Amino acid sequence: LAHHLLKHNEGEALPVLSILTVRDDEIAPGSFEDQELAALTLHPAVLDIRLEALDNQQTSELVTELLGLESELSQQVIARTEGNPLFAIQLVGDWVARGVLSAGANGFGLAPGTSVSIPDDIHAIWAARFRRMLDGYEETARIALEIASALGPAVDWVEWRGVCQLVEVAAPPSVLEALAAEGLVRPDPHGWAFGHGMARESLERESREAGRWASIH
């Protein structure tokens, strides 16, 4: 439709503004969608705007507008969503849907004994990305990443390799290179770190559901 409008609006004043949004984690390089978007952005009438992550203050304002959360819970949302407004909305929405929030003197907080695991819809996003990136690799590559998720947000090279050797698994260097190109991991002074906290949470959930998490620990 966007191509059609651009083609038939040359030299005319058709008062139509098209706004297209896309998440870069859903577009595979070289795919049909990737090529179509690239062609659109070459048109002189198209403005390509990249939206960066919100900072902590902006995320806090968003969470406050969504629901009056207690300060501690609000900080947890900020830490877990890392500036992604979609994830913030989905995370709080999941808590509301599951009825795990309780009203307190300073706002809503989590009810005692409730779970704050990664919501299904957010997990589905990260799980799909990891499946696509790990396609063609042995299962040991996934296990090595699950081990990394158990070690923490930042992964020390020596520690990670040592644990992997204990269970006789290894992730080929090309796996981390591919994940880094997709923004799933990033360099760290002592090794590497997950690009987003919820990516790590998703790996943990996959490991739990596969019955591997306890043995990894």
Side-chain angles (χ1 to χ4, degrees):
L1 176 59
H3 279 300
H4 178 81
L5 289 173
L6 288 170
K7 179 180 179 181
H8 293 279
N9 193 35
E10 294 180 358
E12 300 179 13
L14 184 63
V16 176
L17 172 64
S18 299
I19 300 178
L20 289 73
T21 64
V22 62
R23 295 205 312 266
D24 55 11
D25 59 347
E26 287 196 334
I27 300 297
S31 65
F32 171 77
E33 293 84 356
D34 186 42
Q35 295 175 37
E36 286 290 288
L37 288 169
L40 275 176
T41 57
L42 292 176
H43 195 284
V46 174
L47 180 62
D48 184 14
I49 303 174
R50 174 167 292 273
L51 299 179
E52 302 298 339
L54 303 178
D55 60 30
N56 286 356
Q57 179 61 36
Q58 292 168 331
T59 305
S60 179
E61 291 174 2
L62 173 65
V63 172
T64 301
E65 289 294 325
L66 285 172
L67 192 64
L69 300 180
E70 292 179 344
S71 176
E72 182 178 344
L73 188 56
S74 178
Q75 290 302 313
Q76 186 177 144
V77 172
I78 293 172
R80 294 181 72 184
T81 59
E82 298 183 17
N84 188 314
L86 174 64
F87 290 162
I89 293 170
Q90 289 176 316
L91 183 61
V92 175
D94 177 72
W95 290 343
V96 172
R98 290 195 289 123
V100 301
L101 295 177
S102 62
N106 300 312
F108 286 94
L110 289 175
T114 55
S115 169
V116 291
S117 59
I118 183 172
D120 292 343
D121 47 4
I122 301 179
H123 169 61
I125 294 172
W126 292 113
R129 292 187 70 183
F130 277 113
R131 278 195 298 271
R132 176 166 59 85
M133 297 305 301
L134 294 174
D135 185 40
Y137 288 100
E138 297 290 337
E139 182 70 7
T140 53
R142 169 173 286 279
I143 297 174
L145 290 176
E146 291 176 2
I147 289 172
S149 72
L151 292 174
V155 183
D156 180 274
W157 278 113
V158 176
E159 185 178 40
W160 183 45
R161 287 172 176 167
V163 178
C164 286
Q165 288 175 358
L166 287 175
V167 292
E168 299 180 343
V169 301
S174 58
V175 170
L176 287 182
E177 292 172 4
L179 294 177
E182 289 281 323
L184 290 170
V185 301
R186 62 176 184 270
D188 185 78
H190 299 289
W192 56 275
F194 286 97
H196 197 287
M198 286 195 169
R200 176 174 164 254
E201 287 188 54
S202 181
L203 280 172
E204 176 184 335
R205 175 168 166 175
E206 290 265 294
S207 185
R208 288 182 186 277
E209 293 176 352
R212 292 190 290 263
W213 192 243
S215 62
I216 283 176
H217 272 285

